Amino acid sequence: MITMLGIAIGLGFLGLCLGSFAGALAWRLHSGKDWITARSQCEKCGHKLSPADLIPVFSWLYLKGCCRYCKKKLSWQYPLIELGLAAAFAATYLLWPGGIDGSGDVLLLATWLVCLVGLLILLIYDFYWMLLPSTVLYTTAAVAVAGRFVYIIGFEPDKGGAILAWATSIGVASGIFGLIYIISRGRWIGDGDISLGIITGTLLADPGKSFLMIFIASILGCMVALPAIITGKKDLSAKLPFGPFLIISTVLTMLFGGEIINWYKGLLLL
């Protein structure tokens, strides 16, 4: 019998491979290269990489973080991206809210894992180039919406309540940024964050969790921005990509949001 740990390890390995794919796809999208046919190459010398150079994490460790051909140092962020998605895949299975019991949970889990790949690409792209590419946004949103719709139609007993919660969740996750965008005329936040809210609001499908997601993202953003401002590395007018914080907080909220909300209600004696 396949144990939970065995499945988690298998999903972790899958996440490792897809993390490598996500990193490569982000760079190819930025450089305008064909992400299907173009071969991976060294970021320093441009040499085409062989399959042996592309084994997730292992190749980077074996080559001591250097290119096999030009011997120049490669970024440590490559294995970090791969390990990050591997950890997210494994943790998702082990910590899935309410456990995985039945086809409906499997559908939501599969939808979440596919969307995690898209969210990782968006995180990388926004972190490096402060932009959320519409191609990845729309594709990931389509997967999230399709998965949620099929789940409600096929497995949700209270379809009306589920649709209302879903719509309200999107209203919170996307509407708040839409309002900020309109008020600031695009100076404070990009329109990509509005589209990202459709994805995160759909995946969470709970207005309370969407509020929590934005709150956690704001805290994470402040933790990064304030030290830089205090030390003079950045000023108040400096731009900071908010997408990575929203994506990280979405993962945290999905896995731990229910416990956090219940803990907070306990403090308020609700």
Side-chain angles (χ1 to χ4, degrees):
M1 180 180 293
I2 300 177
T3 64
M4 286 186 62
L5 181 59
I7 295 175
I9 292 173
L11 286 175
F13 179 75
L14 177 62
L16 203 66
C17 298
L18 291 175
S20 178
F21 165 77
L25 181 54
W27 286 98
R28 290 180 188 182
L29 283 174
H30 179 68
S31 61
K33 295 181 178 180
D34 190 309
W35 65 274
I36 297 177
T37 60
R39 288 183 54 187
S40 296
Q41 60 186 48
C42 172
E43 64 180 36
K44 304 293 185 180
C45 65
H47 194 286
K48 295 291 191 299
L49 302 181
S50 69
D53 301 320
L54 300 173
I55 303 173
V57 179
F58 176 80
S59 293
W60 191 90
L61 292 174
Y62 179 75
L63 296 171
K64 298 179 181 179
C66 297
C67 172
R68 183 191 301 272
Y69 309 99
C70 67
K71 309 303 180 184
K72 292 182 179 179
K73 281 286 185 181
L74 301 176
S75 174
W76 54 266
Q77 293 169 357
Y78 291 116
L80 179 63
I81 289 169
E82 296 163 355
L83 289 171
L85 193 62
F89 267 44
T92 291
Y93 176 74
L94 295 173
L95 301 174
W96 190 252
I100 302 170
D101 183 22
S103 301
D105 290 323
V106 172
L107 171 62
L108 290 179
L109 176 65
T111 301
W112 168 257
L113 293 178
V114 173
C115 289
L116 272 183
V117 179
L119 289 173
L120 178 59
I121 296 170
L122 292 170
L123 185 154
I124 296 168
Y125 210 101
D126 200 26
F127 178 81
Y128 281 107
W129 303 294
M130 298 188 69
L131 181 69
L132 294 169
S134 57
T135 302
V136 182
L137 274 173
Y138 297 155
T139 302
T140 308
V143 172
V145 169
R148 180 61 58 183
F149 180 78
V150 173
Y151 175 79
I152 291 176
I153 295 301
F155 301 98
E156 178 59 60
D158 182 12
K159 293 177 173 49
I163 291 174
L164 178 61
W166 177 14
T168 309
S169 181
I170 292 178
V172 172
S174 184
I176 290 177
F177 294 117
L179 183 61
I180 295 174
Y181 183 84
I182 292 172
I183 293 175
S184 68
R185 297 180 181 178
R187 294 192 302 271
W188 300 344
I189 200 166
D191 58 356
D193 293 318
I194 303 174
S195 299
L196 180 59
I198 297 175
I199 300 171
T200 58
T202 296
L203 292 172
L204 296 174
D206 181 318
K209 289 184 178 180
S210 287
F211 271 119
L212 178 62
M213 178 269 296
I214 293 175
F215 176 76
I216 293 175
S218 301
I219 295 297
L220 293 175
C222 288
M223 289 173 62
V224 171
L226 285 179
I229 293 173
I230 292 173
T231 57
K233 294 181 179 179
K234 290 184 179 291
D235 56 38
L236 291 175
S237 63
K239 291 184 177 181
L240 184 71
F242 199 51
F245 302 117
L246 290 170
I247 292 167
I248 292 171
S249 66
T250 297
V251 176
L252 294 176
T253 303
M254 174 63 81
L255 299 182
F256 307 108
E259 289 79 2
I260 295 173
I261 291 173
N262 290 334
W263 169 78
Y264 185 69
K265 287 182 176 179
L267 288 180
L268 299 178
L269 301 177
L270 295 177

